[in-house]
Amino acid sequence: MKDFIFRNDTKLLFRNDIRETILEIAEGHKIMFVHGGGSAERNGCRDDVVRTLTENNIPFVEYRGASREFQKTEEGIRLARANGVTMIIGAGGASVMDCAKLMALGFYHESNLWEYVKGRNPYGLEHLPLALIPTYPSSGSENGLGAVAVDSRTGDFGTAYGIAADYAILCPRYSLTLDREMTVYTGLVTLVQLSACVLGDKNKMSYDAGISYIRNVLEATRTLQKNPDDLDARGIIMLGASLSTSSRIGIGKEEPFAYDIYELEFLPEKLFGSTYRRSLTSIFPRFLAAMGRHHAAEVEKYCRDAFGFGSSIEESSRKLIELFSGFGAEMYFDGKISREQVDSIPCRTELTPNEVFELMNSLIR
């Protein structure tokens, strides 16, 4: 069996009502409550956190408008220091949670924080105690180590990898305010992220577990098509997202080819102005077809075990496009692209430039 690390940095707390948990973890601290000012206010999360802190006389400051913009992170660090904050609670989607992670680390390491964004290892360094509450379940940032930042002043960006939250608080009802399209993407993006871990995993226990997670997320996505208020189905997707960034699956991966999808999904963002969720979802079936030319046995096994597809990889790719389209996901883009445009975007992948261009071209309607 291949060496692996089973990470347990983050205490994952699944709750239908977070108020008692907020009181338990916040007592004795001065809190900075970080959110984006959108979903956390619409879905009741902000009210639950603020009311709990206020009613129990726990001092706090609020920081709205958090995002992956590095300037927002720097502002938050200054606010935390000025107010003597001793703990951060972040609630929102991936960008808010990533911002909260960088604030918690930057409180003690602001002078070289950008170095960590650009690849220096921050794992194990001192940071403020941190609790994260996902309100858009799919990124898994609450239970993962990554934190993406973008500096629009320079056009630079990167991912600090090694910042773990102390607590991840999962509450399915906070996703009830998502519309039908966004709800579909929570399931499909979670499925793809789980698949990136499972593809090529040689450890039978973690592979079988990962396949089970994928099949349950797919079934939960189907359930929400008929009953969008089903909290059990929303809870499955939320837990699946957290597991996709944990160390519970993918522990026997000997080749990282499946993670190339995160490099490739950035291309439609640049070429077509796509969102992460649409880019990742639309690329995935075509990605399987392209990688199947290099890793046929692994891709065939995955397609058979996760979806019951016994046909060729090309046919399995086509069936997945139909499956995702049936949920309402847009699987094509409008426009034209040139080889020069595609080649100009940095992309670290084992696929050849020709294969990358073909993959991008296959996305055009």
Side-chain angles (χ1 to χ4, degrees), residues 73-89:
T73 298
E74 293 174 316
E75 286 177 14
I77 292 168
R78 289 194 293 270
L79 181 66
R81 285 182 177 153
N83 286 275
V85 164
T86 63
M87 182 179 191
I88 292 177
I89 297 176

Side-chain angles (χ1 to χ4, degrees), residues 26 28-32 53-54 56-61 85-87:
H29 286 287
K30 183 168 187 180
I31 303 297
M32 185 162 81
L53 298 176
T54 302
N56 292 279
N57 299 311
I58 297 173
F60 72 97
V61 293
V85 164
T86 63
M87 182 179 191

Side-chain angles (χ1 to χ4, degrees), residues 184-260:
V184 164
Y185 277 116
T186 65
L188 296 185
V189 171
T190 297
L191 184 154
V192 174
Q193 292 187 170
L194 285 165
S195 298
C197 297
V198 168
L199 269 164
D201 186 1
K202 305 296 186 184
N203 184 293
K204 180 172 172 53
M205 289 188 72
S206 68
Y207 176 84
D208 288 351
I211 291 294
S212 172
Y213 300 156
I214 290 167
R215 295 176 73 170
N216 276 277
V217 165
L218 181 59
E219 185 58 35
T221 307
R222 287 195 179 102
T223 297
L224 291 176
Q225 294 277 291
K226 300 174 183 175
N227 181 12
D229 294 332
D230 191 313
L231 289 179
D232 287 338
R234 289 183 178 274
I236 286 170
I237 292 173
M238 187 166 272
L239 181 58
S242 289
L243 289 168
S244 75
T245 55
S246 71
S247 63
R248 273 67 174 168
I249 53 177
I251 61 179
K253 289 172 80 75
E254 296 172 1
E255 297 179 80
F257 71 89
Y259 295 132
D260 284 13

Side-chain angles (χ1 to χ4, degrees), residues 23 26 44 90 104 133 164 171 177 205 218 225 236 276-277 280 320 326:
L23 176 58
I133 308 168
C171 183
T177 53
M205 289 188 72
L218 181 59
Q225 294 277 291
I236 286 170
Y276 169 80
R277 58 184 173 271
L280 189 74
L320 267 185

Side-chain angles (χ1 to χ4, degrees), residues 80-130:
R81 285 182 177 153
N83 286 275
V85 164
T86 63
M87 182 179 191
I88 292 177
I89 297 176
S95 61
V96 172
M97 292 189 287
D98 287 359
C99 185
K101 286 181 182 179
L102 290 169
M103 288 177 189
L105 179 69
F107 188 88
Y108 295 106
H109 307 280
E110 186 180 14
S111 63
N112 48 13
L113 185 58
W114 191 251
E115 293 178 26
Y116 296 112
V117 172
K118 295 303 292 183
R120 185 174 172 183
N121 184 9
Y123 188 74
L125 293 181
E126 183 180 14
H127 61 73
L128 285 177
L130 176 64

Side-chain angles (χ1 to χ4, degrees), residues 269-305:
E269 292 188 38
K270 298 293 286 185
L271 293 167
F272 307 113
S274 173
T275 60
Y276 169 80
R277 58 184 173 271
R278 184 177 170 189
S279 178
L280 189 74
T281 303
S282 59
I283 275 183
F284 182 61
R286 287 97 171 182
F287 173 79
L288 291 177
M291 280 297 177
R293 301 184 195 113
H294 303 268
H295 304 276
E298 290 89 343
V299 174
E300 286 172 354
K301 179 174 172 57
Y302 161 82
C303 290
R304 181 175 62 252
D305 294 341

